[in-house]
Amino acid sequence: MNRILLASAFLLVSISAAFADEIPSALSAPAVVSPVPAAISPAPKTPAPKLVEPHLHIARSNIAGHARVALTFDACMGQADERILSTLVRERIPATIFVTARWLKRNPAAVAVFLQNPDLFELENHGQNHIPAVDTPTLIYGIASAGSPQAVRQEVEGGAAAMLAAGIPAPHWFRGSTAKYDLSAIGEIRAMGYRIAGYSVNGDGGSLLGAVITEKRIASAKDGDVVISHINQPTHAAGAGVAKALVDLKAKGTEFVRLEDVEDTGDDKTTE
């Protein structure tokens, strides 16, 4: 028995020694530290373009109790808001509608209503694909800008071409997506022969406001104001507020005009 135990112990010592000889010497040697590369300086960021959101006013009536207001509506994408459209037609309220090529394609029935009422509706250019008319790359409200002068021109010209194809007279005004521009793009659009439509009253906050606040905002319009709202979001609460405000303003004696009917003044060289 003792011989068996001694033999086992001798075997265990021999195996341990054998494994010790197999251990790489690198494990017991001092660690070699690789040189750390110098920090790479990040590429300089392109400065964000300076954006402007131009204001626009029309000639006042200067008659007490007879404010003159221009209603402008953007038809970006989506469907026609019949709450607003039917109110405009029923109440015989003139308005300027800025349409995109995308909206025109989806709403032939509403386009027909516009064309059947030329005394009410002035149709103008809101672009081809609803891309902000900014000629350097940036994001505006999460929307990528046109990003180059060529892309700005395509946005404007593509919108005008779609209007002509739909039987709409050639536009004279342009309003880009988000209503924000850089100054160089304004110069480019003006060189194409367009006036750029700013505004003085934001009626519906991009159609994202509730009905009550939208109604109050539009009802606050004063003599010489240009109101911007949207006519392409029939499921949004704002549309109900727009329709209510139009009726209220008419009852107060407001004179509604289209942009083509009156003289105007825009800042940032948008109408000069």
Side-chain angles (χ1 to χ4, degrees), residues 184-251:
S184 54
I186 287 176
E188 293 155 14
I189 297 166
R190 293 288 290 125
M192 296 171 66
Y194 286 90
R195 301 169 79 78
I196 297 175
Y199 61 91
S200 58
V201 175
N202 187 335
D204 62 1
S207 83
L208 299 177
L209 297 177
V212 174
I213 186 62
T214 295
E215 178 186 349
K216 289 181 178 179
R217 283 194 177 195
I218 297 176
S220 72
K222 297 178 176 58
D223 196 14
D225 271 334
V226 176
V227 178
I228 182 175
S229 296
H230 292 75
I231 195 168
N232 66 300
Q233 295 290 355
T235 64
H236 290 193
V242 172
K244 178 74 164 52
L246 299 183
V247 174
D248 292 346
L249 283 173
K250 182 181 179 182

Side-chain angles (χ1 to χ4, degrees), residues 73-90:
F73 292 93
D74 288 357
C76 312
M77 294 172 280
Q79 302 294 330
D81 191 333
E82 290 294 336
R83 297 168 298 180
I84 299 172
L85 181 55
S86 62
T87 299
L88 293 169
V89 174
R90 183 182 67 250

Side-chain angles (χ1 to χ4, degrees), residues 26 43 54 66 96 101 147 179 195 218 258-259:
H66 189 75
T96 302
R195 301 169 79 78
I218 297 176
R258 302 170 299 185
L259 293 182

Side-chain angles (χ1 to χ4, degrees), residues 5-217:
L5 292 175
L6 289 173
S8 299
F10 178 78
L11 180 61
L12 180 59
V13 170
S14 299
I15 292 174
S16 299
F19 273 108
D21 291 339
E22 297 274 337
I23 297 174
S25 59
L27 294 181
S28 57
V32 178
V33 179
S34 300
V36 177
I40 300 175
S41 300
K45 293 183 178 179
T46 303
K50 178 183 178 181
L51 302 180
V52 296
E53 191 167 357
H55 293 91
L56 179 67
H57 289 86
I58 57 171
R60 298 176 180 177
S61 72
N62 291 319
I63 301 174
H66 189 75
R68 178 183 292 152
V69 173
L71 299 173
T72 70
F73 292 93
D74 288 357
C76 312
M77 294 172 280
Q79 302 294 330
D81 191 333
E82 290 294 336
R83 297 168 298 180
I84 299 172
L85 181 55
S86 62
T87 299
L88 293 169
V89 174
R90 183 182 67 250
E91 300 293 334
R92 308 309 294 170
I93 295 176
T96 302
I97 315 294
F98 287 85
V99 295
T100 66
R102 297 171 69 175
W103 189 88
L104 288 174
K105 185 176 181 180
R106 295 188 62 180
N107 294 275
V111 174
V113 173
F114 291 148
L115 295 177
Q116 291 163 7
N117 292 273
D119 58 322
L120 295 182
F121 301 114
E122 170 191 2
L123 300 179
E124 297 292 352
N125 189 356
H126 197 33
Q128 181 176 19
N129 290 309
H130 201 246
I131 296 172
V134 174
D135 60 16
T136 55
T138 190
L139 289 176
I140 307 173
Y141 304 133
I143 305 173
S145 66
S148 70
Q150 296 78 14
V152 169
R153 175 174 289 274
Q154 178 58 46
E155 176 71 0
V156 177
E157 291 182 342
M163 294 177 69
L164 293 174
I168 299 170
H172 302 288
W173 286 87
F174 177 80
R175 176 183 286 156
S177 167
T178 74
K180 291 181 182 289
Y181 315 83
D182 54 352
L183 295 178
S184 54
I186 287 176
E188 293 155 14
I189 297 166
R190 293 288 290 125
M192 296 171 66
Y194 286 90
R195 301 169 79 78
I196 297 175
Y199 61 91
S200 58
V201 175
N202 187 335
D204 62 1
S207 83
L208 299 177
L209 297 177
V212 174
I213 186 62
T214 295
E215 178 186 349
K216 289 181 178 179
R217 283 194 177 195

